[in-house]
């Protein structure tokens, strides 16, 4: 990784997208380094597969998608 790539990586916000089981246990999680919350939400919605999803930044849940929906809960 060159210096420019390292600087871009350092500027990214680290999010974690969690996929949950029907009983709300963690089934899978992926790290999403994104430039903004909006970009992370858009990317997460593209990964929606019908399971409940939660988008986290550090210890704060940023968004929740109920099972079977691709759009965020209101």
């Amino acid at each position: 990784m060159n210096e420019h790539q390292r600087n871009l990586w350092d500027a990214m916000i680290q999010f974690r997208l969690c996929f949950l089981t029907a009983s709300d246990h963690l089934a899978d999680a992926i790290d999403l380094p994104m430039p903004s919350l909006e970009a992370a939400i858009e990317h997460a919605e593209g990964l929606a597969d019908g399971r409940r999803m939660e988008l986290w930044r550090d210890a704060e849940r940023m968004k929740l998608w109920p099972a079977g929906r691709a759009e965020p809960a209101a």
Side-chain angles (χ1 to χ4, degrees):
M1 182 182 294
N2 66 36
E3 184 176 347
H4 177 70
Q5 291 170 321
R6 194 169 27 257
N7 290 338
L8 288 175
W9 178 260
D10 290 343
M12 295 291 204
I13 303 168
Q14 300 302 312
F15 295 95
R16 177 162 279 222
L17 181 62
C18 300
F19 295 89
L20 305 176
T21 66
S23 58
D24 286 339
H25 290 93
L26 182 63
D28 199 9
I30 58 172
D31 292 327
L32 294 177
M34 293 284 155
S36 68
L37 174 59
E38 293 78 18
I41 290 171
E42 184 177 326
H43 191 78
E45 289 175 349
L47 298 173
D49 63 2
R51 293 183 283 178
R52 182 175 170 193
M53 300 187 314
E54 296 178 340
L55 182 65
W56 290 81
R57 179 178 176 197
D58 299 322
E60 183 179 357
R61 185 171 69 189
M62 307 305 289
K63 270 303 183 193
L64 164 68
W65 291 266
R69 293 184 55 188
E71 297 177 337

